[in-house]
Amino acid sequence: MATMQLFPLTIGLTLLSVVHAGYINQGECATTDKLLGNWYIIRWAGNLPLPEEKLRSPLPPFTLSKNRIGYLEFRMNISSPIGCVEFKMAMNEEKGKPCFFTLWMWHYVRIVFIGGENFGFAYLNGITNGVPQKMGMLMGRRNHTANPTLLKDFETLVIQLSLNETSIINPPYDDSCEPGKES
């Protein structure tokens, strides 16, 4: 059991050492206070167990804010058959582990600004029911487009995560659940 718990931590710390390796743009650790605001998902890739039709679904923007106990909180209004539903997930910034946030036991997400503070990479390495799960995301603060060097850097991240760069998804943008647009 201890070996299984150390595996995601070991993978995460290994990736920490290569965060700057091979990137065109310089990376910098993200902290809770610098991440606050609205973000867009520009590209993502992963081996998450999702149906094919969900993989390419349009994605709305998301907000990173502080919750009542000071944790970073991911919030996204997701379109569903019954209307817009808010999805929330708390992320605790790990003390002594730069850029790392705990989602739940032994699931860490690492967030790094790339090419300044308007774009970032978020990536997850975890194990659920004994199955390794990986996901990487390129996110933008003010828009849902990125320049070619950021896209190339994201391809490098996907390769570093041992994912297939041909599986990178460019999700359509969904603004149907933005405030003021709900029906």
Side-chain angles (χ1 to χ4, degrees):
M1 180 67 174
T3 304
M4 292 302 288
Q5 293 172 345
L6 288 175
F7 179 72
L9 180 60
T10 303
I11 295 293
L13 292 175
T14 301
L15 284 173
L16 177 63
S17 67
V18 297
V19 71
H20 299 292
Y23 293 157
I24 300 166
N25 295 284
Q26 186 66 28
E28 173 193 339
C29 277
T31 60
T32 296
D33 290 332
K34 289 183 177 183
L35 284 165
L36 302 177
N38 296 323
W39 291 88
Y40 299 88
I41 299 171
I42 299 169
R43 299 278 192 281
W44 79 274
N47 66 352
L48 305 178
L50 296 170
E52 184 64 31
E53 65 273 5
K54 291 287 184 192
L55 292 175
R56 301 187 190 293
S57 294
L59 294 174
F62 63 93
T63 301
L64 294 173
S65 59
K66 280 188 181 178
N67 64 15
R68 287 187 217 152
I69 58 174
Y71 287 3
L72 186 65
E73 187 170 75
F74 174 94
R75 294 180 183 174
M76 179 185 276
N77 290 326
I78 300 171
S79 180
S80 74
I82 61 168
C84 296
V85 177
E86 185 177 45
F87 172 77
K88 293 182 187 181
M89 181 170 44
M91 301 176 2
N92 183 21
E93 192 168 357
E94 281 293 305
K95 305 294 184 239
K97 294 180 189 165
C99 315
F100 279 88
F101 297 83
T102 304
L103 298 177
W104 54 86
M105 193 164 122
W106 303 110
H107 282 76
Y108 296 94
V109 68
R110 183 151 196 271
I111 304 175
V112 178
F113 290 122
I114 192 82
E117 293 184 4
N118 287 323
F119 294 94
F121 293 154
Y123 49 97
L124 164 80
N125 258 321
I127 296 177
T128 303
N129 297 325
V131 179
Q133 293 183 335
K134 299 177 184 182
M135 191 271 304
M137 175 177 67
L138 170 58
M139 56 195 212
R141 190 181 296 271
R142 291 188 179 86
N143 59 51
H144 48 91
T145 60
N147 68 45
T149 63
L150 289 171
L151 298 175
K152 187 67 177 158
D153 284 341
F154 183 66
E155 286 180 16
T156 301
L157 172 68
V158 168
I159 292 166
Q160 288 173 350
L161 290 171
S162 300
L163 295 169
N164 188 341
E165 67 266 26
T166 61
S167 67
I168 294 174
I169 296 171
N170 178 11
Y173 174 65
D174 177 13
D175 66 354
S176 63
C177 285
E178 284 189 56
K181 293 192 179 186
E182 293 99 11
S183 36

